[in-house]
Amino acid sequence: MLTGITGITGALALGAPARAARKGPERPVNILFAIADDWGYPDAGAYGSRAARTPTFDRLADEGALFTRAFCAAPSCTPSRNAILTGQAPHRLEAGANLWSELPATFDVYPDLLQQAGYRVGRMRKGYGPGVFPQWPHNPAGPGFPSFGEFLGQQPEQTPFCFWLGSSDPHRPYDPELGEQSGIDPAAVDVPPYLPDTPEVRTDIVNYLAEVQRFDSEVGDALRLLDEHGLAENTIVVMTGDHGWPWPRAKANTYDAGTRVPLAVRWPGRAAPGTVIDRLTLLSDLAPTFLDAAGLSTPPAMTGQSLLPALSGTAAPRGFVVVERERHALAREGNLAYPVRALRTDRWLYIRNFFPERWPAGDPDFDLGLQGVFGDIDAGRTKTQLLENRHRPGFAKAFQLATAKRPAEELYDLASDPHSLKNLADEPRQTAVKTRLRKQLQNWMLRTDDPRAIDPRTDFWDKVEYYG
Ligand SMILES: [Ca+2]
């Protein structure tokens, strides 16, 4: 029986008559969402990483579902998190498509919708953001708590909860001591072909992986708390990162290095242990999933899709997902954005750069001090070494890949070129593929009310205030 839980009974009855008959927990399911900051695919043991030790992530995958083709909606903190919270594509969120912006309070976010349905909501550390939220009573990801333990300690027994565990790992800057103490062997890390393979870069990667492991350990503590409180069986646990790793040609880019993320979902009774899901998935699917789990329907504004069918193996194939980009850092004269839409299928990546005359990583001579020139690349050892050696053999190609201007269209065959190094957009034998993908992207943009579908060179996001 679901009676006695004020506010949630009606919602459950409305959304899932069949579910009430399911064998399993009768109480509404709790939601624990653990999100890292800049943790990219495939840096987890479950994906075969030789260097990263992620026992918590691997355990969630073993006990639930591992997603192998999950993508953020935008390779930048604020718009990615906004898409998670609202279940919508960033271009629908006005200023919220930019880094360090403001999310208008007119947009519904899933923690509020769950709270209205009777859930108790909380968050620790990095939630929505970076950005400002003057119209909201608290961070849109939920009211802040010092820790998950403190939140759980105050949890009434008959009330379901929704908690956002937001880490700042593995965002730069890195502590070299943590890297040294991690015991990760620099010889064991994988250096992708778009980076120079140097001891400096390998050390940088070790320092990043050490923070990945710290995040993993922190989520492990949260799982232990669930066990101690007897809540593990009735709690969905989702573990992921907001976008790809903070390296040149990765974060802030729509190649897989910037957009593909680890994702594991443990949901006892719903996702069979050891499930592997290769279906294309977007982090904006999480909001509809959480609402679905609570028996609530998906609001029409949400462009994401509930993952429940995928978790139970009944989802239809998904032809593509779209990731996008507006303004990341202040990296260009006039604070201009570098707008991109990218359509990703199982095999192809088609990219539309709306301003090919602009510099994708930022102007070469525009330096506001924080990130240096090419401000869309986070400052760090790899960037410093790349810039200092940009004219030398062994570095010049990586420098060009990260910073050089790009054509209006890019097309990559990921089956043979997983790192998107060879642009096929001008190859005559790929014209049919390019035309088909271009049309699919344009139709999707129209369908989701993307301002760039009608006015490809709108300056709306160039003019949005930057609060960093
Ligand atoms: Ca981030």
Side-chain angles (χ1 to χ4, degrees), residues 36-38 76-77 81 126 171 242-243 251:
D37 196 358
D38 297 15
S76 174
C77 298
R81 287 156 189 267
K126 188 164 177 176
H171 198 290
D242 62 350
H243 52 74
K251 177 177 179 178

Side-chain angles (χ1 to χ4, degrees), residues 350 434-444:
Y350 168 78
K434 183 176 69 173
T435 306
R436 172 168 57 87
L437 299 179
R438 180 200 289 142
K439 199 175 290 178
Q440 280 183 335
L441 177 60
Q442 177 66 16
N443 286 343
W444 183 84

